[in-house]
Each structure stands twice: as C-alpha cells, then as structure tokens.
C-alpha cells in the first residue's frame, strides 16, 4: 500500500510524527512517500532524516521533484492508496496557530486528495468530522499514534472509502 504525504515539510504538517512512526511501528505493508511542493535541500531539517531512513531500508522515501503542471501532479497522486493530511498548530507563530487549527492554511492538499478519490487520514476538525459522517473520505485521528489504526481501517475497507 502506497501512502502519500505531499505539500510542506515542517513540524505543523506532522512530518516529525510520521517519521517517528516509521521508526517505531509503521506496518510493513505500507510504504510512505513524502513529496515536497517545493524542492528541498540539505537546509531542510527533515531532508537528512528522511534520506537516512530510506537508506536504512525503512519504508519511506523522499520524492523531491516538482511538477510542471497540475495534471502531472494529479497523475502522480493517483498512484497512491492512502493520503495523509495532518495539521498541528503552533500558537507561538501568528501564521501557524489558528490558520493551521482550522484546516491548515485552507487545505488545498486535502481537497485535492478527495477530488482524486484517495482515502485520506487527517487530524480532527469539526467541519471535517461532519463531512466524514456524510461521505466516507477516510479517517480522522486525534493523536499521531492513531495513524497506524487508520491505515489498517482504510486498507480493510478500501472499496468503501473509494466510493
């Protein structure tokens, strides 16, 4: 099962939490691809960690190429079984507090996943919870460890979530 985390690569996206899970209990039958919307280099605090984990055969890799247009990006995303869109506000930063709390800078990422029919895992938001109750888009988690169970639930019920 291919899992995608696409977009920004920073603490507010939960990337640190995903990498901790990769090192400590990520299921063998899931492979995480991390794609940055902007090419990242060695200055990014997660660049080395992702590449080191990949080199040590952990089920993760960095896709560090940008796309020429949206159709190319959509084609890339269509290869994935599950998408992850996590939002962890930082209230010490005026741009990363409430903006992130209320669906991360308006989440074009999650909307794109849903448009493409990719079952998604996201952090709790009241509006998302209402949507999730009406349409089977994926799983909403309360804490990072819930990602593992959410992956398994989506895998077991893939046809239901891809309606």
């Amino acid at each position: 099962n291919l899992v995608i985390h696409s977009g920004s690569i920073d603490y507010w996206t939960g990337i640190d939490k995903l990498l901790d899970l990769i090192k400590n209990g990520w299921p063998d039958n899931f492979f995480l691809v991390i794609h940055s919307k902007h090419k990242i280099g060695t200055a990014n605090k997660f660049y080395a960690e992702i590449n080191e984990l990949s080199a040590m055969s952990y089920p993760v890799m960095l896709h560090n190429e940008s796309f020429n247009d949206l159709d190319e990006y959509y084609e890339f995303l269509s290869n994935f079984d599950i998408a992850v869109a996590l939002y962890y506000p930082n209230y010490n930063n005026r741009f990363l507090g409430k903006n992130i709390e209320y669906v991360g800078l308006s989440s074009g990422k999650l909307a794109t996943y849903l448009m493409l029919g990719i079952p998604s895992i996201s952090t709790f938001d009241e509006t998302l919870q209402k949507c999730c109750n009406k349409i089977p888009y994926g799983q909403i988690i309360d804490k990072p460890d819930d990602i593992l169970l959410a992956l398994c639930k989506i895998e077991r019920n893939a046809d239901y979530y891809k309606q």
Side-chain angles (χ1 to χ4, degrees):
N1 296 292
L2 290 175
V3 180
I4 184 69
H5 174 283
S6 185
S8 298
I9 298 178
D10 206 343
Y11 289 103
W12 65 266
T13 68
I15 194 69
D16 55 324
K17 295 160 180 49
L18 283 171
L19 294 176
D20 285 346
L21 289 172
I22 287 288
K23 293 181 272 189
N24 301 296
W26 187 265
D28 292 336
N29 57 326
F30 292 93
F31 190 92
L32 177 64
V33 176
I34 299 169
H35 172 260
S36 177
K37 68 179 181 177
H38 304 292
K39 191 168 185 158
I40 63 169
T42 55
N44 180 286
K45 53 193 154 273
F46 297 107
Y47 179 87
E49 183 176 4
I50 295 166
N51 286 310
E52 285 170 14
L53 289 170
S54 184
M56 292 187 298
S57 299
Y58 281 90
V60 63
M61 70 168 281
L62 177 64
H63 182 276
N64 201 19
E65 300 298 323
S66 49
F67 294 97
N68 295 322
D69 59 41
L70 282 177
D71 289 335
E72 190 178 320
Y73 179 57
Y74 295 161
E75 184 178 332
F76 167 77
L77 290 176
S78 295
N79 292 297
F80 293 91
D81 302 298
I82 300 172
V84 180
L86 307 175
Y87 304 99
Y88 293 95
N90 172 357
Y91 297 106
N92 294 322
N93 181 310
R94 66 182 179 151
F95 300 109
L96 300 178
K98 294 250 184 225
N99 282 346
I100 299 302
E101 178 182 353
Y102 296 107
V103 193
L105 303 175
S106 92
S107 195
K109 173 183 8 188
L110 185 57
T112 299
Y113 296 157
L114 300 179
M115 176 188 76
L116 295 172
I118 305 169
S120 301
I121 298 170
S122 60
T123 44
F124 180 78
D125 175 85
E126 285 183 39
T127 303
L128 288 177
Q129 184 66 54
K130 289 176 187 174
C131 290
C132 198
N133 290 338
K134 292 180 183 179
I135 58 168
Y137 84 81
Q139 292 284 306
I140 295 173
I141 62 163
D142 292 318
K143 58 189 183 308
D145 288 346
D146 294 343
I147 292 170
L148 304 177
L149 180 59
L151 288 169
C152 294
K153 282 183 179 179
I154 291 173
E155 179 188 36
R156 278 195 316 269
N157 301 294
D159 292 337
Y160 172 74
Y161 289 110
K162 290 183 179 183
Q163 296 181 34

